[in-house]
Amino acid sequence: MRRLALLLALVLLAPAPSSLRPAPATAGDFERPSMTADYIPYRRERKRQMARYSERHYGRREYLLTRTKVIVLHFTATSTYQPVWNHFASNSPSRGELPGVCTQFVIDKDGTIYKLVRTYIRCRHAIGLNHRSLGIEMVQETGEGSHWAAQQILNRRRQIRAALRLTRYLRQRFDIGMRDVIGHAMSNNSRYFRDLQGWRNDHTDWLWRDVKQFRRKLRAIS
């Protein structure tokens, strides 16, 4: 009995197998930033439209976003959030095709992160990349031009802090490289760009020089 008791004690004191121990926290483990779910209608018909769009432009009938490799930065060309939600929710044709445009995230000027579409659903936010990318819109008027608008965001403390935290979290979650955090204006040159219809982006939001500043800030908190 004494020998049995000793064996039981040794078993209880022995360290748990590595497969059962919680993984140690690392410097790369970032918290999911606080966000507000404000989903646009994205029901069966819109999913079918997205699948057909994907077949035409990417060669495969699919509405799921399963191989995310790019984060595309945008600004809304509006002064407030609500018109953005309304436009994305309307599902109005864009360039004569359905579904309408949308993006997964919108960040308001006060730093509120709105989640409009789940991250495993495709949105039309950047030609040639909708099958591989997540979109982050930031509420901002165009004003004096794209560079000026991006600079307003970069210097708006709450908004840029939220954008950086969200981007840092998404990069880690989907294993996205820094070079693949791009502006809409850079989309045509992405290594993941593909469009079977020959479409190209003509937007100038988030130019290369502004994305360089964004990446520099991102590195500082990563």
Side-chain angles (χ1 to χ4, degrees), residues 149-179:
Q151 289 299 309
Q152 307 312 300
I153 298 168
L154 286 163
N155 290 289
R156 188 174 291 125
R157 188 169 59 87
R158 291 184 179 178
Q159 189 177 31
I160 192 60
R161 182 183 298 172
L164 292 169
R165 287 176 175 171
L166 175 60
T167 304
R168 179 179 66 176
Y169 167 73
L170 294 173
R171 280 192 67 222
Q172 186 208 21
R173 180 178 171 188
F174 296 101
D175 191 25
I176 295 172
M178 187 68 77
R179 67 182 284 194

Side-chain angles (χ1 to χ4, degrees), residues 111-129:
T112 302
I113 301 172
Y114 293 100
K115 186 176 183 180
L116 275 62
V117 178
R118 300 186 189 279
T119 54
Y120 59 83
I121 300 291
R122 297 181 183 186
C123 272
R124 280 185 68 187
H125 63 92
I127 290 169
L129 290 174

Side-chain angles (χ1 to χ4, degrees), residues 176-189:
I176 295 172
M178 187 68 77
R179 67 182 284 194
D180 297 311
V181 176
I182 65 173
H184 196 175
M186 301 163 60
S187 297
N188 295 337
N189 296 319

